């Protein structure tokens, strides 16, 4: 009888399935994304995904005009303007083929000169086996194997850096290399191989090859073998783990048979050069996070090398400035070396960085504070970023950064004492 | 001696009274009240109709179909005579899980989120989700500012890849990416795997009789130590759940407002997540287009995120 009654009750209550706990209006009635077609299942068909970003920024530099070998306003301007278009198109064909292209166009006005350039950042064809376990790629790509934030040392195909730090508004730092690669997945394991046309700026070589073994679980790790033409084998390893619900840990290590540094820094001679990064991120219950990283870098200049090079550069620059050079070729070379150090990252041995990131607020504001310290000479870079998304497409970022340290210290070499940049970005 | 015997008899009498009262109370709560409520179901139905929003034709049809589905499920549950007096809590938990997944079968779905602050609509996003066992891959498909972001979750481990870079970063479950919605809210939590359920009796919830289930975490890897589920006493569909953090604080409340059939399988369609600490702060979630799919585990590898 009870069963009958309960079933009867169920049959006679068509609304029982639709309770109205705390409901008022239907928030999905005017869903603005209704017209966005999602292709979750794309088997036996083709689909395309595009990402186009229009970006512009204005940067004001507070230049160091009295630096020992800094040409100051001779080369650098107190304002920089950029307008760029970053377009990416990814297409899937017949469930097994994929093409991906990314083109970057930019107009850069650096005050003393302006340039317009276009670059193919990525362009490749990919084939996947039906079971997705095997992937073959041919074309330009930039694989990244690092878990790090500030110090991505495990990207053993040399990371392209045009500044001593990552510039978020410079996609040229994501330009890939021409290569053929393959990847095979088996359970938690992945095996990959890369044959790359070398663009290494430290070693004169035509090709590089990488073999990588990856494992994914609570403790994830990877082992990397890197061979560059004419050099002994180099090695790398990464490890990352989730320590608690709110703390992640990662470490990376590399050992190169050659030195990734300017030739003029040649006092330190070793059979191999190692790097090590230890890092951790803590995320609070309220959403903000704090990341700290320690970086040890044997490629970097030790105290003796650093003092020798910077002193020579400063003295040569001064002689040239006073038109008192007796050996202009050497003085220009030394000055150039000094200038080159300005545009290199990781030129010393020990670093520490931290980054604070607030959670994106409901109003789409976000604050980021980051700092990089060269522990060898006490110089540092501090950066404050305020981000705001105004709508689904338009975002802006106000960035202020300051370089502190003595004139001949790593971050003290920066052409600017500080700079402020306002960036606007429209994503289609 | 007599005094001792008298005191002992008094204590014994009190104990017997307590046991008797408890037994009577149990009978009242677990048998008489449910029977009474079931008998009064037309009245409950009338109340439902008054309180519930008017349904569209499509939704009414969907719900009628759902009734049949639920009836089948309910038959299975009710066939155990024990359930009439005390529901099988673990079986109910598996039923709750079935509303978000396919028991071992990989599947895909789409999800729309709308977050509110001070009761005003704030942000929206849309996700495409692929799920296989305890592994899931979430891709943001809208709005444009988030499009292309991918999050891979394997049990408690998570990795993220931002568009425009091939770098894949490990993140922690504490990192909130979707307003009030946690990663588990998006991809579905396997409650029966992570929690032990016990039946806590009947309660009235917004004038509806509801079965109350208490879920206790089996291990310390779950985000919440305890979850209280309130199920419709007739359909056994969840009405509300309260999530308690390890500190014992009420961290979140979920209101299950609509269910829909996808290829014959009943699934959760709409849910509202409320932050009990901030008035007017909540997130609406709409799950749609559930599809069973044979997905290969290779796509759930972090190294595949950048391919």
């Amino acid at each position: 009888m009870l069963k009958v009654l309960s079933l009867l009750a169920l049959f006679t209550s068509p609304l029982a399935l639709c309770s109205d706990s705390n409901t008022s209006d239907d928030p999905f009635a005017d869903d603005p994304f209704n017209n966005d077609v999602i292709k979750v299942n794309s088997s036996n068909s083709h689909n395309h995904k595009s990402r186009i970003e229009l970006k512009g920024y204005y940067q004001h530099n507070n230049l160091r005009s009295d630096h020992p070998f800094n040409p100051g306003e001779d080369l650098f301007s107190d304002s920089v303007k950029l307008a760029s278009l970053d377009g990416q198109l990814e297409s899937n064909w017949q469930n097994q083929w994929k093409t991906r292209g990314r083109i970057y166009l930019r107009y850069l006005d650096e005050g003393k000169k302006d340039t317009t350039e276009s670059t193919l950042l990525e362009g490749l064809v990919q084939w996947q086996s039906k079971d997705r376990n095997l992937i073959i790629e041919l074309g330009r790509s930039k694989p990244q194997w690092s878990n790090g934030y500030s110090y991505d040392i495990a990207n053993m195909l040399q990371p392209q850096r045009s500044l001593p730090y990552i510039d978020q508004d410079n996609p040229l730092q994501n330009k890939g290399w021409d290569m053929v690669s393959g990847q095979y997945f088996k359970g938690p394991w992945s095996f990959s191989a890369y044959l790359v046309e070398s663009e290494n700026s430290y070693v004169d070589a035509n090709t590089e090859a990488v073999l990588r073994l990856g494992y994914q679980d609570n403790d994830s790790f990877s082992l990397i073998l890197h061979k560059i033409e004419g050099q002994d084998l180099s090695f790398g390893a990464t490890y990352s783990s989730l320590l608690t619900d709110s703390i992640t840990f990662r470490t990376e290590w590399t050992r190169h048979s050659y030195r990734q540094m300017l030739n003029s820094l040649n006092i330190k001679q070793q059979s191999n050069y190692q790097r090590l990064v230890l890092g951790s991120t803590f995320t609070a219950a309220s959403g903000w996070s704090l990341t700290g990283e320690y970086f040890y870098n044997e490629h970097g200049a030790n105290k003796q090398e650093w003092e020798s090079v910077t002193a020579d550069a400063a003295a040569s620059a001064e002689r040239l400035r006073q038109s008192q050079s007796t050996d202009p070729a050497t003085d220009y070379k030394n000055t150039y070396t000094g200038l080159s150090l300005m545009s290199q990252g990781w030129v010393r041995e020990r670093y520490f960085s931290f980054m604070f990131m607030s959670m994106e607020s409901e109003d789409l504001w976000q604050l980021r504070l980051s700092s990089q310290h060269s522990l060898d000479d006490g110089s540092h870079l501090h950066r404050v970023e305020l981000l705001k998304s105004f709508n689904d497409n338009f975002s802006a970022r106000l960035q202020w950064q300051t370089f502190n340290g003595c004139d001949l210290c790593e971050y003290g070499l920066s052409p600017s004492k500080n700079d402020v940049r306002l960036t606007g970005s429209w994503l289609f | 001696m007599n005094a001792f015997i008298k005191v002992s008899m008094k204590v014994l009498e009190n104990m017997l009274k307590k046991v008797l009262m408890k037994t009577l109370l149990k009978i009242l709560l677990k048998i008489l009240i449910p029977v009474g409520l079931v008998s009064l179901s037309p009245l409950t139905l009338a109340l439902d109709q008054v309180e519930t929003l008017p349904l569209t034709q499509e939704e009414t049809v969907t719900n009628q179909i759902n009734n049949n589905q639920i009836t089948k499920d309910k038959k299975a549950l009710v066939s155990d005579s024990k359930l009439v007096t005390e529901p099988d809590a673990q079986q109910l938990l598996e039923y709750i899980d079935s509303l978000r997944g396919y028991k071992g079968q990989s599947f895909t779905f789409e999800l729309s989120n709308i977050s509110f602050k001070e009761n005003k609509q704030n942000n929206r996003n849309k996700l495409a989700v692929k799920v296989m066992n305890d592994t899931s891959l979430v891709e943001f498909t809208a709005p444009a500012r988030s499009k292309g972001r991918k999050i891979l979750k394997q049990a408690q481990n998570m990795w993220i890849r931002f568009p425009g870079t091939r770098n894949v970063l490990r993140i922690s479950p504490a990192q909130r990416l979707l307003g009030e919605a946690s990663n588990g809210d998006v991809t579905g939590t396997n409650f029966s795997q992570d929690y032990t359920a016990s039946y806590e009796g009947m309660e009235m919830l917004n004038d509806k009789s509801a079965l109350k289930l208490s879920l206790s975490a089996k291990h310390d890897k779950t985000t919440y130590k305890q979850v209280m589920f309130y199920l419709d006493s007739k359909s056994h569909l969840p009405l509300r759940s309260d999530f308690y953090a390890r500190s014992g604080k009420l961290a979140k409340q979920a209101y299950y407002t609509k269910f829909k059939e996808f290829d014959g399988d009943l699934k959760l369609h709409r849910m509202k997540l409320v932050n009990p600490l901030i008035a007017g702060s909540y997130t609406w979630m709409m799950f749609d287009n559930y599809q069973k799919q044979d997905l290969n585990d290779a796509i759930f590898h972090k190294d595949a995120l950048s391919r």
Side-chain angles (χ1 to χ4, degrees), chain B residues 254-271:
Chain B
Y255 294 86
Y256 305 86
T257 61
K258 278 199 172 99
F259 297 86
K260 191 174 168 183
E261 198 168 83
F262 297 90
D263 284 335
D265 296 306
L266 189 69
K267 295 286 170 242
L268 174 64
H269 186 40
R270 292 191 191 183
M271 176 166 80

Side-chain angles (χ1 to χ4, degrees), chain A residues 10-18, chain B residues 49 55-72 259-261 266:
Chain A
L10 204 63
F11 275 118
T12 54
S13 61
L15 299 177
L17 299 174
C18 187
Chain B
Q49 283 172 324
L55 293 174
T56 63
Q57 192 178 0
E58 182 195 350
E59 284 168 334
T60 310
V61 170
T62 305
N63 284 340
Q64 280 169 350
I65 296 166
N66 291 345
N67 266 340
N68 297 336
Q69 171 70 27
I70 282 301
T71 308
K72 284 179 207 164
F259 297 86
K260 191 174 168 183
E261 198 168 83
L266 189 69

